Amino acid sequence: MSMLTSPRTWVDISLTALRENWATIRSAIPSDCGVVAVMKADAYGHGAEACCAALRDSGATWFAVSSPAEGKRLRVVFPDGNILVLSYFEEGCQDVLDFRLIPQVWEPWQVDVLEAAWRDRGGRGRIPVHIELDTGMGRHGVRSAGELVRLLKHCREKPFLSIEGAMTHFSSSESLQPDNTIRQIEVFGVLLDLIIEQGVEIKYIHAGNSATAFVPRHIDALRGLGRRCGATLMIRPGTSFFGHAPRFLPSGIIAPPPLKPVLSWKTRVTSLREIEAGSTVGYDMTFKAQRSTRLALVPVGYADGLNRLLSNGGGAIVRGRRVPFAGRIMMDLALLDVTEQPTVSIGDEVALIGEQEGVSVSAYDVADTLGTIPDEVTCAIAASVPRLIRD
Ligand SMILES: *Cc1c(COP(=O)(O)O)cnc(C)c1O
């Protein structure tokens, strides 16, 4: 890609790394357990269609998204498999039916919303649903035995419904001491037993996220529950597909799995200048040159998702060296202090996230600077930034 054909800023996607991560995660989970690949938020900002197609070709048969609109997009690359909608499906209820998405329900009125859509579509066939059980996450899901009995009673009156699975979500899967996940698994078991007692046969139970995939004692406990209710266990990793390895606490208790970053975020140097000691740069003059300073302009800013809190810090890589931002990050521009690299030239590729000559800035590095998690960093890269498949 030459300077003249290059976008201002772009993301390179390595489907090779994604496939390798699939293999690493798949081999960590016992072969009799399923994997639901969580691809919400446009595959954590990586581009859902290409990522799902690659995982589908690697053998993925279950995907999860957070809205019917996302599910509808995935259906195009995944004509036959299972697509779960993890939360709020009501707005796109017709799409749930038209694109054979599997919603999660936990309140009786959600069943009524599905029924209305089902009647509207001529009342044919049955709609598979999974029941969400709240075992400690506290955001959604059935919270008590009483609520569960009421929900199941309501479902029994709706022959169009087929309860295919039951799931829960862990709040602290990376914290191994104290191990609140074991407590959640116990509560999950109590609620699952109640489902069975009520005469409902479920095919699948699923729980957990990326961290769960790498904690054998959690998987073993969940498999025990699967056997107890005659259901297949599935684990739902998301972020680890993109190379963001769980950080277990206390640290070092489980070695980080060898996952590879899938995304690199790039731009180019479009202008260079030398400023004298004492000159100031950018909005509010927050950068004051301490010496004669060389600045490189890059056409990327907070409108593209480059967090403004990286101003006068953070770092990008150019010519194999990490350099800080100088002055405030602007809406669609930023400046890098390249004083230490006299050879930097117009057109040079700059990695905002990624690697050059063995030097790297990871989504974790950016997240650590900002006090957040890598998911937020990759999801924040604007949809307008092209995602290019590199390999
Ligand atoms: C996002 C999400 C996951 C995946 O979590 P990661 O930490 O990205 O692996 C799994 N299950 C549910 C319900 C989620 O919302």
Side-chain angles (χ1 to χ4, degrees):
M1 195 159 44
S2 82
M3 172 108 181
L4 292 173
T5 55
S6 169
R8 285 191 308 119
T9 177
W10 72 98
V11 162
D12 278 339
I13 295 291
S14 169
L15 296 178
T16 306
L18 179 65
R19 285 188 206 98
E20 287 175 26
N21 293 340
W22 163 269
T24 303
I25 295 161
R26 183 58 272 194
S27 65
I29 297 173
S31 56
D32 61 341
C33 303
V35 174
V36 180
V38 179
M39 293 288 126
K40 60 195 180 194
D42 200 23
Y44 295 55
H46 292 65
E49 284 90 346
C51 290
C52 284
L55 292 178
R56 174 204 64 202
D57 294 345
S58 300
T61 55
W62 282 84
F63 288 103
V65 292
S66 49
S67 70
E70 288 182 349
K72 179 176 169 177
R73 276 176 59 194
L74 280 204
R75 193 43 96 201
V76 178
V77 288
F78 194 50
D80 303 316
N82 307 290
I83 303 176
L84 270 175
V85 180
L86 293 172
S87 50
Y88 191 60
F89 68 83
E90 292 81 4
E91 189 197 39
C93 211
Q94 300 292 356
D95 286 342
V96 167
L97 276 88
D98 294 345
F99 297 92
R100 295 167 285 118
L101 311 176
I102 305 172
Q104 291 190 171
V105 299
W106 61 92
E107 289 181 29
W109 65 267
Q110 296 176 306
V111 172
D112 300 339
V113 170
L114 280 176
E115 184 173 27
W118 177 77
R119 285 197 195 293
D120 200 58
R121 282 288 186 271
R124 281 183 302 277
R126 295 178 85 188
I127 307 177
V129 297
H130 290 198
I131 290 186
E132 174 152 6
L133 304 169
D134 181 6
T135 57
M137 179 66 183
R139 64 176 180 193
H140 47 55
V142 176
R143 281 176 301 173
S144 66
E147 274 186 23
L148 182 55
V149 170
R150 272 194 298 283
L151 176 66
L152 294 176
K153 181 170 178 292
H154 194 66
C155 291
R156 257 198 298 276
E157 291 157 6
K158 312 286 179 189
F160 73 90
L161 215 65
S162 144
I163 300 174
E164 189 183 71
M167 60 79 73
T168 195
H169 195 44
F170 299 142
S171 76
S172 319
S173 56
E174 295 183 33
S175 307
L176 300 179
Q177 283 169 20
D179 192 334
N180 290 316
T181 302
I182 284 291
R183 173 83 196 114
Q184 282 196 251
I185 294 173
E186 283 164 14
V187 177
F188 192 31
V190 169
L191 294 171
L192 288 172
D193 287 346
L194 187 57
I195 293 181
I196 306 303
E197 259 170 57
Q198 295 281 311
V200 179
E201 275 180 35
I202 44 177
K203 277 197 343 221
Y204 304 102
I205 64 166
H206 49 104
N209 60 2
S210 293
T212 314
F214 299 99
V215 185
R217 70 168 186 265
H218 292 166
I219 301 226
D220 287 346
L222 288 165
R223 267 167 110 198
L225 297 185
R227 278 193 295 273
R228 217 155 85 194
C229 28
T232 300
L233 170 68
M234 303 194 289
I235 306 294
R236 299 185 308 264
T239 193
S240 52
F241 286 116
F242 306 107
H244 309 147
R247 283 181 172 173
F248 291 106
L249 293 170
S251 66
I253 197 161
I254 293 181
L259 300 164
K260 296 187 171 167
V262 169
L263 164 158
S264 313
W265 185 10
K266 303 207 170 143
T267 183
R268 280 184 200 282
V269 174
T270 54
S271 180
L272 283 161
R273 62 179 50 198
E274 306 276 346
I275 60 169
E276 287 163 21
S279 311
T280 62
V281 169
Y283 287 122
D284 301 323
M285 305 181 177
T286 60
F287 180 88
K288 188 167 184 189
Q290 300 302 309
R291 54 180 174 173
S292 168
T293 297
R294 192 151 187 261
L295 296 174
L297 183 72
V298 284
V300 60
Y302 59 78
D304 302 296
L306 186 64
N307 198 300
R308 191 167 168 278
L309 299 176
L310 297 170
S311 298
N312 288 307
I317 309 169
V318 58
R319 298 225 169 187
R321 189 166 178 150
R322 196 164 167 165
V323 292
F325 291 106
R328 291 257 156 91
I329 287 174
M330 295 159 270
M331 188 179 283
D332 27 40
L333 294 168
L335 289 155
L336 292 164
D337 181 346
V338 295
T339 313
E340 303 289 333
Q341 282 144 300
T343 58
V344 167
S345 309
I346 288 176
D348 279 0
E349 196 173 285
V350 174
L352 302 162
I353 296 175
E355 197 203 290
Q356 272 185 6
E357 300 167 33
V359 177
S360 73
V361 176
S362 69
Y364 257 123
D365 294 331
V366 178
D368 287 343
T369 306
L370 295 170
T372 185
I373 54 172
D375 297 357
E376 186 180 356
V377 173
T378 59
C379 285
I381 303 173
S384 55
V385 176
R387 270 66 172 172
L388 309 175
I389 308 301
R390 174 163 37 94
D391 57 45

